[in-house]
Amino acid sequence: MDAGILAEIKAVDENHEAWSAWLAQEFARDGAVAFALGSDVALEAIQGDIDKLSAMPRGAHIGELIYSRVAEALPQQFMTRYDFEFLYKLAYCIRTLRRRVRGGNKIICHTVLDEIAIQVIFDFAGTCFTLADYASADEGDPYKIVGSIISDCDIDIWLYS
């Protein structure tokens, strides 16, 4: 159990910049915590990869990095497409989703990138919950929330399987 991550999970509340009242209502407190914490960790990981790629030649992708925290959360078949520009767009998408939920809006995925961003956010949240040995309520389980938000299984069938 990682006590630091557990403390971070418990510290997330309505004052967090990515807190979603809608997620808290639909999926209990843990759903909103998963989105807030998962998006924090995802943005940090993406920025780390962006920083590494910015020192490499144009066209370099995360598959060429010695280590990438983001690579495991993305569909593997497109690894050579995850370059600086893609990661920049993914980070922008996550920031946009954070602004939307902070404004009280329901999360609605309009693009495949929105769906991937949701998957990445909740993948990181699930990892945090697991590392902290945190047992979330069924409604707040990061792995169950993704399907409810995306509302179809296309992303699992076509991208993650």
Side-chain angles (χ1 to χ4, degrees):
M1 178 177 78
D2 189 318
I5 295 174
L6 183 58
E8 285 185 54
I9 291 169
K10 291 183 177 188
V12 174
D13 63 13
E14 301 84 23
N15 297 317
H16 189 282
E17 66 182 276
W19 182 263
S20 169
W22 173 75
L23 282 169
Q25 180 182 347
E26 290 291 315
F27 302 103
R29 176 188 179 277
D30 289 341
V33 169
F35 181 84
L37 184 61
S39 64
D40 283 349
V41 177
L43 287 171
E44 180 184 306
I46 292 167
Q47 189 58 53
D49 283 2
I50 285 173
D51 292 345
K52 292 174 198 171
L53 288 174
S54 67
M56 298 175 75
R58 181 178 173 85
H61 57 84
I62 61 176
E64 297 176 82
L65 299 176
I66 293 170
Y67 176 71
S68 166
R69 288 173 52 200
V70 181
E72 293 177 17
L74 294 169
Q76 297 300 297
Q77 67 267 40
F78 303 109
M79 187 62 63
T80 59
R81 309 243 184 202
Y82 304 139
D83 58 5
F84 180 95
E85 291 177 28
F86 174 83
L87 291 178
Y88 186 86
K89 289 175 186 174
L90 180 60
Y92 180 82
C93 180
I94 291 172
R95 286 187 193 96
T96 300
L97 288 168
R98 287 166 57 108
R99 280 191 301 276
R100 269 193 239 155
V101 301
R102 186 64 186 166
N105 297 314
K106 178 180 178 179
I107 297 175
I108 299 173
C109 295
H110 298 286
T111 66
V112 173
L113 188 58
D114 287 341
E115 292 183 358
I116 290 172
I118 294 295
Q119 182 73 38
V120 168
I121 289 167
F122 285 99
D123 186 61
F124 276 107
T127 300
C128 289
F129 281 23
T130 300
L131 289 173
D133 199 25
Y134 182 77
S136 64
D138 281 344
E139 299 85 14
D141 184 342
Y143 299 108
K144 293 180 182 176
I145 294 172
V146 172
S148 297
I149 291 174
I150 295 174
S151 73
D152 63 31
C153 60
D154 289 351
I155 191 168
D156 284 336
I157 293 171
W158 301 110
L159 296 179
Y160 285 94
S161 60

